[in-house]
Amino acid sequence: MHRGEATVAPRLLIGLIGTFVRPARPRGFVPPGELSVLSERELRVLELIAHGLSNTQIAQEVGLSVSTVKNRVSDLFAKLGIRDRAQAVIVAYEAGLVRPGDGRP
């Protein structure tokens, strides 16, 4: 900066930052292509989480108790190295398990 003026245009700077700076993944994060660590049931639960269903709705959808769904959710979070449902949604989209505009399964 010189006299309060940027030496690089803001638009260019934002582009450079977007190109070279990537947010860090959580420690132990499983890349989207590696969902093979999940069972079929866990994949289905992940898909339903990505569609915005609550644990109660998931339980009704897959015919499990709510407590079993909670266990499945905890297990898949641990296997994928993620900490919350928001990250689960991101993983599901990045892996192609769901796509924008897909209706509820």
Side-chain angles (χ1 to χ4, degrees):
M1 293 222 155
H2 181 66
R3 287 188 243 155
E5 297 176 20
T7 57
V8 178
R11 179 177 275 170
L12 178 60
L13 185 58
I14 290 170
L16 288 170
I17 290 170
T19 300
F20 295 105
V21 178
R22 297 282 180 234
R25 293 285 189 195
R27 183 170 276 157
F29 181 82
V30 174
E34 300 197 22
L35 294 182
S36 61
V37 299
L38 301 180
S39 69
E40 265 187 60
R41 186 71 63 130
E42 289 166 337
L43 277 171
R44 180 70 174 140
V45 169
L46 177 59
E47 179 183 7
L48 295 172
I49 288 171
H51 282 285
L53 275 67
S54 68
N55 287 344
T56 302
Q57 292 169 317
I58 292 170
Q60 292 170 349
E61 186 81 23
V62 297
L64 297 172
S65 71
V66 175
S67 63
T68 301
V69 169
K70 288 179 183 180
N71 289 334
R72 298 270 188 214
V73 170
S74 294
D75 290 346
L76 75 89
F77 283 10
K79 287 180 179 181
L80 296 176
I82 58 177
R83 67 181 178 275
D84 57 34
R85 292 173 93 89
Q87 287 182 325
V89 171
I90 292 167
V91 167
Y93 275 88
E94 287 180 349
L97 192 58
V98 292
R99 291 188 209 119
D102 282 353
R104 185 174 154 208

